[in-house]
Amino acid sequence: MRLAILGGGGFRTPLVYGALLTDRHESRVDEVWLHDVDQSRLDAIARVLAQLAADHPDPPAVHTTTDLDEALAGSAFVFSAIRVGGLEGRTADERVALDLGLLGQETTGPGGISYGLRTVPVALHVAERVRAVAPDAWVINFTNPAGMITEAMQSVLGERVVGICDSPIGAARRVAATMGVDPAATTIDYVGLNHLGWLRGVHHEGHNLVPALLDDDARLATTEEGQLFGAEWLRTLGSIPNEYLYYYYFTRDAVASIRSSEQTRGEYLVQQQRSFYDALASGPDHALVEWDRVRMERNATYMREARDEGEERDEQDVQGGGYEGVALAIMAAISRGEPATLILNVRNGSTLAGLPADAVVEVPCTVDGDGPHPLPTSPLEGHPLGLVQQVKAVDRLVIEAASTGSERRAVQAFALHPLVDSVTVARELLRGYRARIPLVDAVFGGGRSRR
């Protein structure tokens, strides 16, 4: 079975390949095609994969290419983890917003809109090429903003596009482990959008572990979410929010913390990744060791702006990983009939009341040979429903703006986002992103906007 990894020169590719190495089933993936626009990055990651596979018998064969159709043709699965505009684009996403006093973050708020504007056209092109040369393939999307990009690609490929994220399952596992329960023995009640959801229940033997955790200050303080949001606010909500909701509930705190730092997250990663790829070019014998060192350093600094000075992440969280296991479980369920229950980004249908049927939502699903099937869920009410509806409306405006080149829809998307406080600022945001990021400007014809 053949797997194509788009963005194959990216830093996280070894996580996916490492998961494949542990899969000894006779119907496993035996051929991996890495696609990227940068051959030097492909070469660097291929060296890491070769060393990762050195002690494994019969590892999946690895091929690299900068030709999209060559990577896609004959693939049963396509894993998409592209970063349109690179990390330099991410730094602009952050800085344009910060310079206007707003949150500057990769997927949440104005930066996520900018990222979506330049990524949607590329994602649609990828979907069209999949339809042309690998029409039976399933696309597993990790490209951010994951919910928005999955929804855009579904407009071409339908429900054969599934979005994944490691945040929800990570939160559920932390709750179970903190309460001394095997995560595999639990069922999960989680609902929302990508990077905008709430863990309402982790059920074990008929009992919901979440209320008991919320009542236990000592245990709650040991969790990532307890440290991010504080016990009092979590008890007020009565649920465990996705970690990215920190940027909605503590917006001023996040902006102040980011602006007081010497570097944004994007600027830090640009420097780190440049050093990493340069090191692999000059010392390929140590590729795997260097990759693992940088991975641990990268994970340890994740969401640093949300933690107090000197506060360190839990060792288990620093180890990172997770989404590659979700991807492998999807492939096993579809290709081998090994049913799985996973939290995925899928077409809503009638799952979540208050959202359009073709909107992509993030909910627990069963997955079998026919793909994912959303599980019934109780509705969202109050502020979570309003927030989800508002952000989903923005997502759909971004898709429309990026698909049609409409400057008017782009301004509307910025203005209606809950983390943007003025229509005037929305217009300044669009001007700023177009000036800083050529790929965003190109969406609108480089100055010839279709309104």
Side-chain angles (χ1 to χ4, degrees):
M1 186 164 60
R2 175 169 165 163
L3 168 67
I5 301 179
L6 310 185
F11 187 79
R12 284 184 158 190
T13 295
L15 293 174
V16 180
Y17 189 72
L20 295 174
L21 290 173
T22 66
D23 183 13
R24 305 312 304 164
H25 196 283
E26 62 182 6
S27 299
R28 69 190 178 104
V29 170
D30 55 13
E31 192 175 2
V32 177
W33 281 78
L34 307 182
H35 172 267
D36 205 290
V37 296
D38 187 333
Q39 184 63 52
S40 66
R41 288 169 64 93
L42 285 172
D43 293 342
I45 293 300
R47 286 194 285 273
V48 177
L49 302 193
Q51 292 178 22
L52 197 61
D55 296 329
H56 291 265
D58 191 28
V62 175
H63 309 272
T64 66
T65 182
T66 57
D67 185 301
L68 179 61
D69 283 6
E70 183 180 23
L72 294 174
S75 294
F77 292 92
V78 177
F79 186 83
S80 179
I82 61 177
R83 180 176 288 281
V84 179
L87 286 171
E88 291 76 12
R90 176 175 178 168
T91 65
D93 292 339
E94 296 165 341
R95 281 296 175 191
V96 169
L98 287 168
D99 288 347
L100 291 169
L102 303 177
L103 177 72
Q105 207 279 329
E106 176 189 18
T107 66
T108 303
I113 293 175
S114 172
Y115 194 9
L117 284 171
R118 66 179 182 274
T119 303
V120 165
V122 177
L124 289 173
H125 172 70
V126 168
E128 289 162 359
R129 296 319 303 156
V130 170
R131 183 172 60 184
V133 304
D136 296 326
W138 285 85
V139 176
I140 301 172
N141 178 60
F142 191 69
T143 297
N144 278 321
M148 181 197 300
I149 300 306
T150 299
E151 187 166 323
M153 295 184 80
Q154 283 194 355
S155 69
V156 177
L157 295 171
E159 295 181 62
R160 296 185 78 85
V161 184
V162 183
I164 66 173
C165 183
D166 47 6
S167 291
I169 192 63
R173 287 172 179 166
R174 282 191 288 274
V175 170
T178 302
M179 300 303 289
V181 171
D182 179 3
T186 64
T187 57
I188 300 169
D189 176 10
Y190 179 95
V191 64
L193 308 178
N194 180 244
H195 290 180
L196 190 73
W198 293 262
L199 179 63
R200 303 180 296 190
V202 179
H203 298 274
H204 175 69
E205 296 181 349
H207 300 284
N208 185 357
L209 303 176
V210 170
L213 176 60
L214 294 179
D215 286 339
D216 190 329
D217 279 4
R219 283 180 165 173
L220 196 56
T222 67
T223 67
E224 186 93 343
E225 289 75 19
Q227 295 165 12
L228 283 177
F229 298 100
E232 181 181 353
W233 182 241
L234 292 179
R235 281 195 285 270
T236 298
L237 294 174
S239 61
I240 307 290
N242 184 289
E243 58 200 351
Y244 282 83
L245 275 156
Y246 177 85
Y247 298 116
Y248 293 88
Y249 293 142
F250 295 89
T251 309
R252 289 194 182 195
D253 310 71
V255 172
S257 179
I258 295 169
R259 295 185 77 177
S260 67
S261 300
E262 293 183 3
Q263 295 176 306
T264 66
R265 176 68 172 172
E267 288 163 350
Y268 163 78
L269 290 175
V270 164
Q271 186 179 58
Q272 187 204 54
Q273 296 294 288
R274 184 178 296 126
S275 297
F276 166 74
Y277 285 101
D278 288 347
L280 260 63
S282 59
D285 291 344
H286 307 291
L288 179 57
V289 172
E290 179 66 7
W291 173 81
D292 198 51
R293 182 192 68 78
V294 173
R295 177 179 69 89
M296 295 294 288
E297 182 182 81
R298 172 185 174 126
N299 289 345
T301 57
Y302 176 68
M303 287 191 76
R304 175 174 283 171
E305 66 271 13
R307 295 194 297 277
D308 294 332
E309 186 175 352
E311 185 178 67
E312 300 295 333
R313 294 188 73 195
D314 182 83
E315 178 63 24
Q316 195 171 30
D317 294 319
V318 170
Q319 289 295 328
Y323 81 96
E324 68 279 4
V326 177
L328 198 66
I330 293 173
M331 291 190 285
I334 293 174
S335 65
R336 304 200 298 246
E338 300 176 8
T341 301
L342 304 164
I343 300 173
L344 302 172
N345 287 267
V346 295
R347 186 178 186 274
N348 180 39
S350 60
T351 305
L352 187 53
L355 290 181
D358 61 346
V360 165
V361 296
E362 191 168 77
V363 293
C365 303
T366 58
V367 189
D368 57 24
D370 295 322
H373 311 279
L375 293 169
T377 185
S378 55
L380 285 172
E381 298 177 345
H383 95 271
L385 176 60
L387 192 54
V388 161
Q389 288 177 322
Q390 188 173 1
V391 172
K392 176 52 65 175
V394 169
D395 280 357
R396 292 164 80 89
L397 285 167
V398 174
I399 293 171
E400 181 182 352
S403 302
T404 65
S406 171
E407 184 178 340
R408 179 176 298 166
R409 291 291 178 249
V411 169
Q412 187 179 8
F414 281 115
L416 296 183
H417 196 283
L419 296 179
V420 177
D421 55 8
S422 162
V423 175
T424 300
V425 172
R427 295 189 178 112
E428 292 177 7
L429 283 165
L430 183 58
R431 282 196 294 269
Y433 286 124
R434 291 184 67 175
R436 285 283 301 271
I437 308 173
L439 285 169
V440 171
D441 190 48
V443 168
F444 307 101
R448 298 181 299 279
S449 174
R450 289 168 283 167
R451 296 181 180 273

